[in-house]
């Protein structure tokens, strides 16, 4: 039987080695030997044999070490620690001690990179661990982790013992504090729910009001219509509207009856708004009458102006922003509101190109130009007091977004501009018109056409058919990075954009793609808004998306918004939208692009309170409980079937408010500020925010999160990239709070510098065009 050169080489190597191979190892080793043999060569050196055998055995060594780590519950040891450890083992038959020593060396190297000293390294390690969803339970695990850190920094025995005991003491103290806060929160929530139920039980029906006010039923109806008698609760029962009233509030109104009877009833006026400064009624009445179920009246400055709303709609690449910015640039003052910080920057730059210096205001950033009458801001930062000539509000289709839609409602209703441009896709037209009606503002509509042609691909597109100018769309960070790895293995230069990346990194990746440094862009639907991208073809890798609740097909609006990024005007005459081969029905994309605008089933805009409304309701219920205020708002102030408005879900705000109930010494307005801070509870955000709030209440300064020492970008694993992204989120929340509480969150400049360093590191990792082989 004739043997191949690789088989001959393996046979000779085994004769000189005591090592025994399994059948699977022999098969894999033959392939590696064949790749390493030169033509006509039938032998390999012992060193080469051992090197190749180590390569195929490292996967099993990694599995073995991973089992040991899981058995010992050492959650702080990461998969990259294990991968690094086995990569340094060059003995094909190592003993247990050698494997353990290699892992210890890899772990200690990473821990030393986490901070300047043992304490800093431990805090970074522990915070990363909490954010990963694997908290340390019990002092035993804490001791083991602290011991690993002490060994990494080579502390002497006495210092090690002191370090471990201090870590355990501090953590036990923190956990005790957390438990106390949690218990206080539970107790306060129970009290607030009890108060709410007692209040609801005390309410009376409409038929009891005449006796309380010594008046007629007809007068009661008139005064309710004129917003003089507050309705405490509105519910629907058996298809009928039931209005209930607070007898204490009603009795307090008795002295005003004679004045009311002398008033002339208002006739024929639609949408009469309440001026919060004119009514001779206590604040507690205003909360239920004027603040939410008559939400438009809350924006006094806007209501005092003679506003006109211009709805500018059209598909992506139709010049909506250009139309509004041109008018703004010709005016004396203006506000440009964007959905993202990145887009706010683009508006600022667009105004600068027209020789207009605009200030910038976002949740975590301020760039104020003295005496400037122009502002570029994110929607949530819309100023409601100083009138301007022109306002631009972009991406109005976000009105229906459950998480952020209320911010668009507030901006459109409250922006103090005489000319308000509302930009968006055609789907937003009915709800914007309804908002205009609620504000009693006249409106006009401008419909724009796409500037470059858009077509669907004639056939599914395979990965090997991708070329420069293509954007491949996935719907999760994991899918984006998986596709990136595959394409880089095929020799492509790739840029990526997904939601966890900061605006700075997204912009840098977009520039790499636009400049041709990267041939192909892989992105999530994060490219649907903003970013000028020179895309020729948009190719969907799937027609399904997980929306936080279920995996569902893409809507026509999503396909249009993302697919419309193809064929940038001035760069490509025609844009193409296609589907990756094997991703589903090839005709799906065409049908969604051609579908008419989706008809909204509910045209009521989403609303949520602001700090003023929260304080008004707190005054009404005589409580400083944010949870109690939000509960009253949800259950009494704005009923689910209100004809004009929908209360935004505010689940995260409720969750933060609930957690903060146990923090004593923090004013209501400050707790409200914390409750709207941008955090992600999937990354332990609410617990971290609660700890910060507790330190705030104790007047303790809160240091900015650090990044620790970061490994060289070329050596960074996917897990290290994810940890860096989570560290960036912590910095975003800290900087957001620093702008609102500068004395508690000092040294913003250092935090901004740390953020820039982290962004640069993440961008450097993404620039790496070589992927390390997976073990």
């Amino acid at each position: 039987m004739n043997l191949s050169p690789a088989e001959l080489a393996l046979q000779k190597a085994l004769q000189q080695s005591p090592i025994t191979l399994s059948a699977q190892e022999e098969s894999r080793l033959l392939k590696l030997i064949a790749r390493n043999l030169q033509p006509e060569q039938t032998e390999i050196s012992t060193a080469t044999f051992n090197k190749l055998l180590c390569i195929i055995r490292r996967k099993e060594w990694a599995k073995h070490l991973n089992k040991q780590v899981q058995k010992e519950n050492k959650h702080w040891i990461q998969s990259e620690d294990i991968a690094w450890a086995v990569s340094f083992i060059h003995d094909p038959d190592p003993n247990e001690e050698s494997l353990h020593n290699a892992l210890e060396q890899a772990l200690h190297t990473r821990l030393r990179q986490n901070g300047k000293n043992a304490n800093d390294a431990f805090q970074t390690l522990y915070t990363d661990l909490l954010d990963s969803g694997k908290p340390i339970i019990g002092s035993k695990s804490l001791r083991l982790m602290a011991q690993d850190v002490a060994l990494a920094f080579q502390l002497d025995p006495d210092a090690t013992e002191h370090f471990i005991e201090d870590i355990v003491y501090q953590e036990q103290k923190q956990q005790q504090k957390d438990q106390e806060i949690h218990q206080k929160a539970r107790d306060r929530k129970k009290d607030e729910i009890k108060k709410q139920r007692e209040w609801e039980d005390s309410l009376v029906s409409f038929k009891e009001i005449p006796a309380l006010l010594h008046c007629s039923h007809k007068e009661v109806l008139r005064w309710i219509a004129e917003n003089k008698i507050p309705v405490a609760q509105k519910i629907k029962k058996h298809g009928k509207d039931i209005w209930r009233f607070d007898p204490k509030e009603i009795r307090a109104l008795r002295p005003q009856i004679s004045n009311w009877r002398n008033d002339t009833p208002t006739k024929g006026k639609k949408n009469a708004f309440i001026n919060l400064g004119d009514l001779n009624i206590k604040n507690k009445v205003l909360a239920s009458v004027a603040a939410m179920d008559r939400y438009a009246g809350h924006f006094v400055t806007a209501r005092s102006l003679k506003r006109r709303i211009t709805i500018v709609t059209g598909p992506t690449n139709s010049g909506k922003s250009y139309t509004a910015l041109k008018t703004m640039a010709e005016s004396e003052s203006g506000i440009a509101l964007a959905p993202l910080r990145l887009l706010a920057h683009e508006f600022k730059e667009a105004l600068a190109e027209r020789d207009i210096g605009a200030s910038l205001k976002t949740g975590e950033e301020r760039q104020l130009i003295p005496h400037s009458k122009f502002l570029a801001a994110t929607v949530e930062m819309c100023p409601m007091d100083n009138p301007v000539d022109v306002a631009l509000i972009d991406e109005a289709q976000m009105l229906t977004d459950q998480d952020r839609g209320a911010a668009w409602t507030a901006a459109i209703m409250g922006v103090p501009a005489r000319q308000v441009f509302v930009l968006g896709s055609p789907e937003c037209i009915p709800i914007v018109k309804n908002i205009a009606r609620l504000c009693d503002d006249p409106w006009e509509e401008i419909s724009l056409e796409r500037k470059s042609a858009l077509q669907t691909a004639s056939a599914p597109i395979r990965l090997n058919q991708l070329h420069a100018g293509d954007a491949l769309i996935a719907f999760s960070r994991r899918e984006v990075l998986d596709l990136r790895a595959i394409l880089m293995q095929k020799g492509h230069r790739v840029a990526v954009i997904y939601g966890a990346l900061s605006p700075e990194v997204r912009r840098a990746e977009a520039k790499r793609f636009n400049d041709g440094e990267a041939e192909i862009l892989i992105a999530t639907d994060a490219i649907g808004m903003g970013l000028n991208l020179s895309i020729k073809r948009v190719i969907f890798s799937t027609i399904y998306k997980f929306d936080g609740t279920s995996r569902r097909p893409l809507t026509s609006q999503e396909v249009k918004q993302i697919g419309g990024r193809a064929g940038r005007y001035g760069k490509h005459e025609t844009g193409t939208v296609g589907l990756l081969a094997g991703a589903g029905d090839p005709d799906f994309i065409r049908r969604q692009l051609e579908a008419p605008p989706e008809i909204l089933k509910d045209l009521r805009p989403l609303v949520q309170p602001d700090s003023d409304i929260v304080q008004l309701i707190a005054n009404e219920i005589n409580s400083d409980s944010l949870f109690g205020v939000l509960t009253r708002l949800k259950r009494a102030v704005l009923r689910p079937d209100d004809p004009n408005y929908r209360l935004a879900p505010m689940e995260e705000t409720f969750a933060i408010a609930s957690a903060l109930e146990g923090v004593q010494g923090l004013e209501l307005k400050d707790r409200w500020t914390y409750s709207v801070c941008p955090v992600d509870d999937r990354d332990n955000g609410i617990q971290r925010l609660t700890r910060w709030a507790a330190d705030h209440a104790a007047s303790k300064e809160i240091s900015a999160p650090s990044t620790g020492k970061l490994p060289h970008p070329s050596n960074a694993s996917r897990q290290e990239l994810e940890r860096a992204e989570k560290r960036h989120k912590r910095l975003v929340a800290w900087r957001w709070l620093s702008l609102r509480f500068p004395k508690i969150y000092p040294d913003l400049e250092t935090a901004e510098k740390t953020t820039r360093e982290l962004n640069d590191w993440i961008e450097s990792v993404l620039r790496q065009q070589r992927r390390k082989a997976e073990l």
Side-chain angles (χ1 to χ4, degrees):
M1 180 179 179
N2 293 328
L3 297 177
S4 68
E7 289 171 325
L8 285 170
L10 177 58
Q11 189 179 77
K12 292 175 182 177
L14 286 173
Q15 289 173 355
Q16 300 172 16
S17 173
I19 294 174
T20 302
L21 299 179
S22 67
Q24 186 179 20
E25 285 179 331
E26 185 172 329
S27 175
R28 293 182 63 195
L29 194 55
L30 276 171
K31 293 179 181 178
L32 289 179
I33 291 173
R35 293 176 191 169
N36 281 268
L37 284 177
Q38 298 297 323
E40 307 300 326
Q41 187 180 1
T42 59
E43 289 187 18
I44 57 172
S45 67
T46 300
T48 300
F49 172 75
N50 289 340
K51 176 184 175 182
L52 297 179
L53 185 54
C54 284
I55 290 174
I56 66 172
R57 286 188 168 179
R58 278 174 184 145
K59 190 172 184 179
E60 290 304 315
W61 299 338
K63 285 183 180 179
H64 175 74
L65 287 174
N66 191 51
K67 286 181 181 178
Q68 288 296 110
V69 167
Q70 291 179 349
K71 184 178 179 181
E72 296 171 8
N73 289 321
K74 290 191 170 185
H75 304 301
W76 55 93
I77 298 179
Q78 305 290 336
S79 57
E80 63 263 31
D81 297 326
I82 295 173
W84 195 14
V86 298
S87 70
F88 283 99
I89 295 176
H90 303 295
D91 179 357
D93 196 18
N95 56 30
E96 192 70 29
E97 184 179 0
S98 297
L99 289 172
H100 175 79
N101 289 340
L103 179 57
E104 188 176 78
Q105 181 183 352
L107 174 63
H108 291 174
T109 300
R110 178 169 69 87
L111 293 180
R112 285 193 296 272
Q113 294 175 339
N114 271 355
K116 297 177 182 178
N117 54 52
N119 191 64
D120 286 348
F122 179 86
Q123 293 304 323
T124 300
L125 179 65
Y126 191 37
T127 303
D128 285 341
L129 194 63
L130 288 174
D131 287 2
S132 72
K134 298 176 182 177
I136 299 295
I137 299 175
S139 61
K140 182 180 178 180
S141 293
L142 274 174
R143 288 179 182 276
L144 288 172
M145 188 165 76
Q147 186 177 45
D148 276 341
V149 174
L151 289 171
F153 282 84
Q154 299 179 338
L155 301 183
D156 62 49
D158 289 342
T160 295
E161 184 178 355
H162 178 75
F163 174 72
I164 293 172
E165 292 304 321
D166 186 59
I167 288 293
V168 172
Y169 171 75
Q170 293 297 335
E171 185 55 30
Q172 287 176 342
K173 186 178 177 181
Q174 182 63 61
Q175 288 183 2
Q176 182 180 359
K177 185 178 178 181
D178 290 344
Q179 289 172 1
E180 290 174 356
I181 290 173
H182 181 66
Q183 187 59 49
K184 286 176 184 175
R186 289 182 61 182
D187 293 343
R188 289 201 66 184
K189 284 167 62 180
K190 285 182 180 178
D191 288 343
E192 290 301 321
I193 291 171
K194 181 181 177 182
K195 288 179 185 177
Q196 176 72 20
R197 288 173 178 168
E198 289 174 349
W199 175 77
E200 289 179 349
D201 291 341
S202 74
L203 301 181
V204 298
S205 65
F206 169 81
K207 65 182 181 180
E208 296 177 66
I209 303 301
L212 291 171
L213 289 180
H214 308 302
C215 64
S216 67
H217 281 79
K218 186 176 180 180
E219 286 176 316
V220 171
L221 283 172
R222 191 184 92 197
W223 293 333
I224 289 174
E226 293 175 354
N227 301 313
K228 292 175 178 176
I229 296 179
V231 181
Q233 188 180 54
K234 303 174 184 179
I235 59 176
K236 206 172 189 70
K237 193 172 183 180
H238 305 303
K240 294 183 178 180
D241 289 338
I242 306 296
W243 288 14
R244 305 177 73 198
F245 303 82
D246 187 334
K248 292 182 180 179
E249 291 184 3
I250 300 304
R251 292 190 189 99
L253 297 174
R254 284 176 181 171
Q256 301 183 55
I257 295 297
S258 60
N259 292 332
W260 290 355
R261 282 175 173 155
N262 293 329
D263 285 346
T264 302
T266 301
K267 293 182 180 180
K269 282 193 175 182
K270 296 192 300 179
N271 300 320
F273 295 109
I274 298 172
N275 186 317
L276 302 190
D278 290 346
L279 284 181
N280 187 22
I281 302 175
K282 291 183 179 180
N283 283 344
K284 61 184 180 181
V285 177
L286 296 177
S288 59
V289 175
M292 296 303 292
D293 57 349
R294 302 202 180 258
Y295 188 65
H298 179 62
F299 304 102
V300 180
T301 305
R303 298 292 74 78
S304 68
L305 297 174
K306 187 177 181 181
R307 301 197 318 168
R308 183 172 187 83
I309 294 177
T310 302
I311 310 171
V312 185
T313 61
T316 305
N317 227 338
S318 58
K320 297 186 293 292
S321 299
Y322 176 84
T323 300
L325 283 169
K326 184 176 182 295
T327 303
M328 184 182 294
E330 295 169 352
S331 68
E332 295 295 323
S333 57
I335 299 171
L337 299 175
L340 304 170
R341 185 162 70 92
L342 187 150
L343 269 174
H345 274 274
E346 290 194 358
F347 280 151
K348 176 180 170 64
E349 290 165 6
L351 288 169
E353 290 173 0
R354 294 168 168 83
D355 296 323
I356 295 174
S359 294
L360 179 76
K361 187 178 181 181
T362 72
E364 59 188 276
E365 190 176 11
R366 302 284 190 277
Q367 293 180 18
L368 303 181
I369 298 177
H371 311 299
S372 174
K373 295 182 179 181
F374 291 84
L375 173 71
T378 45
V379 171
E380 283 83 355
M381 295 294 104
C382 177
M384 303 298 184
D385 297 326
N386 298 322
V388 296
D389 291 327
V390 178
L392 176 165
I393 304 171
D394 202 7
E395 305 292 354
Q397 66 274 5
M398 289 289 289
L399 278 162
T400 59
D401 184 85
Q402 293 294 300
D403 295 324
R404 298 182 66 200
W408 266 259
T409 302
I412 297 173
M413 285 190 164
V415 67
R418 297 169 184 84
Q419 176 71 59
V420 181
F421 285 93
V422 180
L423 320 181
S425 64
E427 281 83 355
C428 78
I429 294 174
I431 193 168
V432 176
K433 288 181 179 178
N434 191 36
I435 290 174
R437 177 187 65 80
L438 290 167
C439 294
D440 204 20
D441 289 331
W443 58 269
E444 62 180 339
E445 183 183 344
I446 297 175
S447 179
L448 301 177
E449 298 294 328
R450 183 180 168 87
K451 292 187 174 183
S452 59
L454 191 66
Q455 63 184 15
T456 54
S458 57
I461 300 165
R462 300 185 180 279
L463 279 176
N464 59 11
Q465 294 175 318
L466 295 177
H467 51 66
D470 285 346
L472 188 58
I473 308 301
F475 290 96
S476 74
R477 174 187 183 276
R478 180 177 179 178
E479 288 177 281
V480 166
L481 294 179
D482 284 346
L483 287 167
R484 172 180 180 264
I486 292 170
L487 289 175
M488 286 199 303
Q489 280 187 328
K490 294 179 179 293
H492 290 290
R493 290 173 284 114
V494 180
V496 296
I497 294 173
Y498 51 90
L501 297 177
S502 71
E504 290 81 6
V505 175
R506 279 186 250 178
R507 176 176 283 192
E509 288 290 281
K511 186 176 187 303
R512 289 179 57 219
F513 177 71
N514 288 339
D515 292 349
E517 183 184 337
E519 304 167 294
I520 296 170
L521 174 67
I522 308 175
T524 63
D525 48 357
I527 69 164
M529 289 187 292
L531 289 173
N532 290 319
L533 295 163
S534 186
I535 299 171
K536 188 171 184 179
R537 294 193 301 180
V538 166
I539 300 149
F540 289 88
S541 68
T542 177
I543 59 175
Y544 295 96
K545 174 185 178 180
F546 181 75
D547 60 8
T549 305
S550 60
R551 190 169 180 265
R552 57 163 178 79
L554 298 174
T555 65
S556 62
Q557 172 60 24
E558 288 167 338
V559 173
K560 291 173 185 176
Q561 185 77 15
I562 300 167
R565 309 296 290 175
R568 181 182 173 188
Y569 180 67
K571 291 285 186 179
H572 306 289
E573 292 184 4
T574 302
T576 301
V577 187
L579 189 64
L580 198 64
D585 179 6
D587 207 34
F588 174 84
I589 298 298
R590 180 190 59 77
R591 291 197 303 269
Q592 296 297 72
L593 284 176
E594 295 176 357
E598 296 177 12
I599 299 175
L600 297 178
K601 297 178 181 178
D602 194 337
L603 297 182
R604 296 177 301 165
L606 290 161
V607 296
Q608 66 183 27
D610 59 16
S611 59
D612 291 336
I613 292 174
V614 166
Q615 191 61 59
L616 286 171
I617 299 173
N619 293 342
E620 176 188 351
I621 66 177
N622 192 28
S623 172
D624 65 349
S625 166
L626 180 57
F627 174 80
V629 167
L630 296 179
T631 300
R632 175 66 65 91
L633 173 65
K634 192 172 184 179
R635 296 180 62 175
V637 177
L638 191 63
R639 61 180 180 174
D641 67 332
D642 185 275
N644 295 321
Y645 303 101
R646 289 183 291 155
L647 186 65
M650 299 193 302
E651 278 96 351
E652 191 168 89
T653 301
F654 260 97
I656 297 173
S658 297
L660 292 178
E661 284 297 293
V663 176
Q664 294 183 319
L666 205 61
E667 293 184 12
L668 178 67
K669 63 182 179 63
D670 294 337
R671 274 183 277 134
W672 170 253
T673 301
Y674 273 94
S675 75
V676 293
C677 177
V679 296
D680 189 342
D681 197 35
R682 293 171 298 180
D683 299 334
N684 196 47
I686 293 180
Q687 182 183 358
R688 180 169 57 254
L689 199 63
T690 304
R691 288 184 175 183
W692 286 353
D695 286 342
H696 182 170
S699 299
K700 294 181 180 178
E701 289 187 357
I702 300 164
S703 300
S706 70
T707 64
K709 277 191 174 182
L710 298 165
H712 192 277
S714 61
N715 296 325
S717 67
R718 186 179 294 192
Q719 289 87 350
E720 286 167 326
L721 176 62
E722 184 175 6
R723 274 201 300 274
E725 291 164 0
K726 289 181 178 180
R727 290 172 184 176
H728 184 272
K729 286 183 183 179
R730 295 201 291 269
L731 278 162
V732 167
W734 190 96
R735 289 169 58 199
W736 191 94
L737 289 164
S738 179
L739 288 175
R740 289 149 182 84
F741 306 114
K743 292 182 180 179
I744 298 297
Y745 297 84
D747 203 1
L748 178 59
E749 186 177 340
T750 297
E752 290 174 341
K753 180 176 180 292
T754 303
T755 303
R756 289 193 296 271
E757 291 172 353
L758 192 55
N759 283 332
D760 290 344
W761 183 86
I762 292 172
E763 174 57 18
S764 295
V765 171
L766 296 178
R767 281 176 176 271
Q768 300 301 317
Q769 298 299 316
R770 296 282 182 188
R771 176 176 176 265
K772 290 189 289 185
E774 295 285 347
L775 291 173

